[in-house]
Amino acid sequence: MSFPLLTATALAPALGAVATAAVPAARRTLAKWVALAFSLATVVLAAVVLVRFEPGGDRYQLTESHSWIADFGVRYELGVDGIAVAMVALTAVIVPFLIGAGWNDADPVEGEARAGRRWRPTQGFFALILMVEAMVVMSFMATDVFLFYIFFEAMLIPLYFLIGGFGDRAGEHPESEQAKQRSYAAVKFLLYNLAGGLVMLAAVIGLYVVAADDLAGGGTFSLQTLVEARASGELTFAESTERWLFLGFFFAFAIKAPLWPVHTWLPNAMGESTAPVAVLITAVVDKVGTFAMLRFCLGLFPEASVWATPVVLVLALVSIVYGALLALGQRDMKRLIAYASISHFGFIILGIFAMTSQGQSGATLYMVNHGVATAALMLVAGFLISRRGSRLIGDYGGVQKNAPLLAGTFLVAGLATLSLPGTGPFVSEFLVLVGTFSRYPVAGIVACTGIVLAALYVLILYQRTMTGPVTEAAGKIRDLRPRELAVVTPLIALLIFLGVFPKPVTDIVNPAVDHTMSDVGKTDPAPAELEARK
């Protein structure tokens, strides 16, 4: 097609970031509306991508390809398969709700301006959110390995400032101590992800060197060219070389995901961020890691992926159980949701490396549903925390009597998080477990413990905050405002819709999953009774 639709989809939030940052300092409300308008424009463009995409067509569609750094074989190449389309749609849909939920989060605190203290500019807050969105969308659409790497790393910069400069001020410590905690969380996030990125850079260079030796046209970073060359036998790796390259890519993606034991940056980052930024991290940015495992690890290094599967499955199972157990013991509401997300990412990675079509379809669907469910739960928790000024679970009680809408939406979002039937995450988790049981039944049994633990930490969280006698502080908590209802209600509706009718998403995702299964040379195991008849 002549119109560069994919470029326009990524460019819209980037232009929005520039426009929002350019709004005069005194026009905070205008900056908010500008950011919201550009985020909605991105939704429209993502919807056009979704409509133009043909699930049964070519593997990569709406492609764009231009020479960039010709001497090193770097091209500006974009394209989307079904998995990428789902991730772009998730990102585009989530961001307007984050802007609506964080409408007042970056406004100066009363008394700060009079005291002469530097306060957080509204324009910068929303501009940084839009810039992260642009880089995430580009990461999902990039089909040049080097182009992907650039945006994979570049998104760390705006996120660093969002965590460190616009952190959550609700807490039990004085503002000076909270500032130190925000700084620590931001630096830890940056160092972990930079370390992974540097290892990946070495692997990217190694991939180019090997390709330059084998391919007739010389070195290239084009994903489609590399995958096709692997399939045809034109590009071959020594066994040890492929395994080292795989580990270089996987290490970076495991940190981003995050996967145990390189997960420890996430609870700090989510705990010290505002609720919208916490959602941006876990519902949007972290999905780049699991998405990249499907696209790059399995696509470029199929033999190494199969070789590493037993270890990765063990790490995924540890993440499921460990994350759930730590969520169960948390006193801080936001850190509880962070550890729950680590457990859920374990399910996603388990589905990817189960090497079955059900597992990988479920993992992709889980990425979408986890993003929506976590957004709903964390944003409602953020509304609650902003009213009380505390993240500690023990500071609440009896909230449902004075704020029934807040408590009701909190309950539905929590039930979706524990994968209640009728909500989107249930379908995802069911598919992951079916795909895992068909090839690795012991792993499936261990993963089921995460379901039980999820019910415990979600229901205990709801019981301690929303039920029981009304505490003095809870008696002053107001119910959801119209703006907050406008943010939460569509997310709840989407969770129920995807739980009752997931077919629109699975129809888009399944052909891409079939391609991935073909890359690694795997087919679904035949049912045991059919095997017996043979």
Side-chain angles (χ1 to χ4, degrees):
M1 60 185 299
S2 57
F3 179 72
L5 180 58
L6 298 186
T7 296
T9 305
L11 194 59
L15 292 176
V18 175
T20 302
V23 174
R27 305 293 299 275
R28 294 195 302 273
T29 302
L30 176 61
K32 299 172 186 178
W33 284 108
V34 169
L36 182 60
F38 275 95
S39 70
L40 292 174
T42 308
V43 174
V44 173
L45 289 167
V48 175
V49 171
L50 188 61
V51 171
R52 294 293 301 269
F53 183 79
E54 299 177 5
D58 296 335
R59 180 171 188 175
Y60 295 109
Q61 300 178 33
L62 308 175
T63 56
E64 303 172 28
S65 182
H66 307 281
S67 179
W68 184 19
I69 309 174
D71 291 343
F72 294 99
V74 180
R75 299 184 63 83
Y76 177 81
E77 283 193 351
L78 304 180
V80 288
D81 60 4
I83 299 171
V85 167
M87 294 298 99
V88 170
L90 170 68
T91 304
V93 167
I94 289 292
V95 170
F97 294 114
L98 303 187
I99 293 174
W103 199 254
N104 300 317
D105 283 2
D107 289 344
V109 176
E110 184 178 355
E112 273 197 335
R114 291 195 301 270
R117 297 170 62 185
R118 184 178 181 275
W119 51 272
R120 304 170 294 174
T122 303
Q123 290 83 346
F125 179 73
F126 291 108
L128 289 170
I129 288 178
L130 290 174
M131 189 56 68
V132 172
E133 180 184 16
M135 293 177 179
V136 169
V137 168
M138 280 296 293
S139 297
F140 289 137
M141 298 188 303
T143 55
D144 182 277
V145 178
F146 192 81
L147 183 67
F148 168 83
Y149 173 78
I150 289 174
F151 289 100
F152 181 81
E153 287 293 274
M155 69 179 70
L156 302 180
I157 299 171
L159 276 171
Y160 169 80
F161 289 108
L162 282 170
I163 298 169
F166 298 89
D168 190 0
R169 296 190 173 189
E172 55 186 316
H173 303 294
E175 170 59 26
S176 59
E177 182 61 27
Q178 289 182 16
K180 292 180 182 178
Q181 293 296 324
R182 290 195 295 269
S183 178
Y184 171 78
V187 171
K188 187 174 183 179
F189 158 81
L190 188 64
L191 291 178
Y192 265 67
N193 284 273
L194 279 178
L198 289 173
V199 173
M200 181 183 169
L201 178 60
V204 169
I205 296 171
L207 176 65
Y208 176 83
V209 171
V210 174
D213 290 339
D214 286 3
L215 299 182
T220 181
F221 291 102
S222 172
L223 177 65
Q224 192 163 8
T225 301
L226 292 168
V227 171
E228 290 174 353
R230 283 303 310 270
S232 66
E234 182 182 0
L235 176 62
T236 58
F237 294 113
E239 182 181 87
S240 59
T241 300
E242 179 173 351
R243 292 178 179 181
W244 280 112
L245 293 177
F246 167 86
L247 291 173
F249 278 77
F250 182 81
F251 180 67
F253 302 152
I255 291 176
K256 185 81 78 179
L259 178 68
W260 184 90
V262 288
H263 66 286
T264 59
W265 64 268
L266 183 66
N268 295 101
M270 289 183 65
E272 300 304 325
S273 299
T274 62
V277 174
V279 172
L280 186 67
I281 293 170
T282 191
V284 176
V285 173
D286 287 351
K287 300 302 188 303
V288 177
T290 48
F291 165 83
M293 290 180 189
L294 278 166
R295 172 168 280 190
F296 296 100
C297 287
L298 272 61
L300 293 172
F301 316 111
E303 287 85 1
S305 297
V306 174
W307 163 76
T309 290
V311 175
V312 176
L313 291 180
V314 170
L315 296 178
L317 292 174
V318 173
S319 289
I320 291 170
V321 178
Y322 174 84
L325 286 173
L326 263 65
L328 194 59
Q330 290 302 307
R331 298 168 56 245
D332 186 311
M333 199 180 308
K334 292 170 73 175
R335 290 178 69 91
L336 184 151
I337 299 172
Y339 280 111
S341 291
I342 292 170
S343 181
H344 295 148
F345 275 104
F347 275 106
I348 294 171
I349 297 171
L350 180 70
I352 292 172
F353 282 87
M355 299 296 178
T356 59
S357 59
Q358 300 97 330
Q360 292 185 0
S361 293
T364 305
L365 191 59
Y366 213 140
M367 292 185 222
V368 175
N369 287 321
H370 171 265
V372 180
T374 300
L377 183 60
M378 179 62 84
L379 293 180
V380 177
F383 297 150
L384 180 64
I385 291 168
S386 67
R387 286 159 165 73
R388 174 66 175 83
S390 173
R391 306 197 304 258
L392 298 180
I393 298 171
D395 288 343
Y396 297 87
V399 173
Q400 66 180 7
K401 295 180 181 178
N402 288 331
L405 288 176
L406 191 154
T409 53
F410 192 82
L411 177 61
V412 175
L415 293 176
T417 299
L418 63 82
S419 300
L420 183 77
T423 62
F426 169 76
V427 181
S428 316
E429 205 164 90
F430 179 79
L431 285 173
V432 167
L433 290 174
V434 167
T436 303
F437 268 107
S438 65
R439 197 182 292 277
Y440 302 104
V442 174
I445 293 170
V446 175
C448 285
T449 62
I451 302 174
V452 178
L453 293 172
L456 284 174
Y457 63 68
V458 169
L459 295 178
I460 290 174
L461 171 65
Y462 183 82
Q463 178 190 37
R464 291 179 178 175
T465 55
M466 301 297 167
T467 66
V470 180
T471 62
E472 181 179 354
K476 301 176 183 178
I477 292 177
R478 296 173 294 174
D479 213 342
L480 293 178
R481 306 179 182 91
R483 171 179 60 83
E484 295 167 337
L485 272 174
V487 168
V488 176
T489 303
L491 295 174
I492 298 295
L494 187 57
L495 282 173
I496 296 173
F497 173 79
L498 291 174
V500 176
F501 189 54
K503 190 174 184 294
V505 181
T506 55
D507 283 349
I508 293 172
V509 166
N510 285 342
V513 168
D514 291 339
H515 284 296
T516 303
M517 290 285 291
S518 177
D519 289 339
V520 295
K522 289 286 188 178
T523 57
D524 292 330
E529 58 271 20
L530 294 181
E531 285 291 324
R533 291 176 187 175
K534 292 178 182 179

